[in-house]
Amino acid sequence: MGYRNGADRERQQVIDFTNSSISIHPKFTGGLFYNIATIRLEHPATLNRYVQPIRLPRLSDNRTFEMMEGTSLGHHYNGTMRYMRNQILPHDNCLLQEYVCTNSFIGGAFCNRVDGAGLTVEDEDGPILIGFTMRVYWCDLNERDINTRVSVYRDWIVDHSDYVFDF
């Protein structure tokens, strides 16, 4: 957890887990759908300025976050993490309702693939994880980046983790 930076223990925490600690969505068949899992760690993370919890959308939150600025984590370069801020596209411009698509034309594109990286937005209470990267088109400003929408999996997350959603 945190930021992988060689031997820097403040920025990076390694917590062991076993195969039996991984809960993969039962409908996942190796494709693009239901590609989500939870992992039960052997001990809690130590929170610091590099390792912090993130909020997920509330159970009652029906926002689409359209036209907001979404921030994604990119690949590190010369020891520095890279971030990208893209506009979140309306549902009509995305493949399915289960996805959140961002406009790489507004905000830029990474020239590397970062599957599973978080997509966050800011509201009055701070950052919210609304998606995680599923498909990024390399260096292509004319293609949308596709993220799996976290809110679609709220019930499954409740059943397979200790996360407590706000109402």
Side-chain angles (χ1 to χ4, degrees):
M1 280 177 264
Y3 167 57
R4 185 176 64 178
N5 188 23
D8 187 340
R9 290 293 186 204
E10 182 187 12
R11 294 182 187 202
Q12 175 182 324
Q13 295 179 40
V14 178
I15 301 175
D16 293 331
F17 59 90
T18 62
N19 281 344
S20 62
S21 302
I22 303 170
S23 180
I24 298 171
H25 196 288
K27 292 184 179 180
F28 178 67
T29 60
L32 298 178
F33 299 104
Y34 304 102
N35 189 359
I36 186 170
T38 58
I39 300 172
R40 187 162 305 281
L41 302 176
E42 290 185 1
H43 61 82
T46 301
L47 301 181
N48 60 34
R49 68 183 185 160
Y50 298 102
V51 178
Q52 289 289 312
I54 187 83
R55 289 182 308 131
L56 301 180
R58 293 183 170 117
L59 292 174
S60 60
D61 194 343
N62 294 322
R63 293 179 288 179
T64 63
F65 306 104
E66 290 178 10
M67 308 312 283
M68 289 181 72
E69 183 178 83
T71 303
S72 298
L73 176 66
H75 201 45
H76 65 276
Y77 175 75
N78 290 342
T80 303
M81 293 302 294
R82 300 293 182 199
Y83 296 88
M84 178 172 58
R85 291 185 174 88
N86 296 114
Q87 184 182 63
I88 295 173
L89 294 169
H91 278 315
D92 296 346
N93 294 0
C94 206
L95 300 174
L96 296 169
Q97 192 167 349
E98 289 84 10
Y99 300 135
V100 177
C101 292
T102 59
N103 185 351
S104 59
F105 191 71
I106 298 176
F110 290 125
C111 292
N112 56 40
R113 191 175 175 116
V114 187
D115 293 330
L119 173 65
T120 62
V121 296
E122 293 271 339
D123 70 3
E124 62 278 353
D125 296 323
I128 304 171
L129 179 70
I130 64 164
F132 47 90
T133 306
M134 190 182 78
R135 180 171 291 160
V136 174
Y137 294 93
W138 291 59
C139 297
D140 192 341
L141 297 178
N142 295 316
E143 287 290 339
R144 60 191 171 251
D145 292 332
I146 304 169
N147 301 269
T148 299
R149 186 178 296 278
V150 170
S151 60
V152 170
Y153 296 100
R154 283 186 283 221
D155 292 340
W156 186 83
I157 293 169
V158 165
D159 292 342
H160 293 88
S161 75
D162 294 336
Y163 187 82
V164 178
F165 281 89
D166 293 333
F167 289 94

